[in-house]
Amino acid sequence: MMAYGQTAITQDLYTASEARGACIVERADNVRLHDIRSPSPNVTYDRDGAEEHIACDFIAGCDGFHGVSRQSIPTDVLRTFERAYPFGWLGSCPRHRRSRT
């Protein structure tokens, strides 16, 4: 099994973004997605009292289940995929437990 934790993913994305000279916005209020079905979607948000605008080729909504991205997807387009595993995230397999004697 290989785990690629959120912290490692974030670190790799920051490194790749910095290498491209991209601007990383860590805090924004009132984020809104526009024209997400069009060939030129865009995002607006408020930061330091001013509205900012980002023109996009595409939008990757990676802000979680309750984030603005999921809420912006029209219900006739939204597709949900879920996979339930028969073990817990922090669980352990009884066969591999070691005795502490």
Side-chain angles (χ1 to χ4, degrees), residues 22-81:
C23 173
I24 297 172
V25 177
E26 295 200 6
R27 295 194 183 268
D29 296 312
N30 198 23
V31 178
R32 295 154 328 269
L33 309 182
H34 308 278
D35 303 321
I36 61 174
R37 290 184 176 193
S38 79
S40 50
N42 60 89
V43 177
T44 56
Y45 60 93
D46 297 336
R47 182 173 172 208
D48 299 329
E51 183 176 276
E52 302 284 339
H53 178 265
I54 302 173
C56 308
D57 293 323
F58 58 88
I59 298 172
C62 305
D63 52 352
F65 186 87
H66 298 288
V68 68
S69 298
R70 183 183 179 85
Q71 296 170 14
S72 299
I73 299 171
T75 55
D76 64 320
V77 177
L78 178 65
R79 300 289 181 266
T80 303
F81 300 93

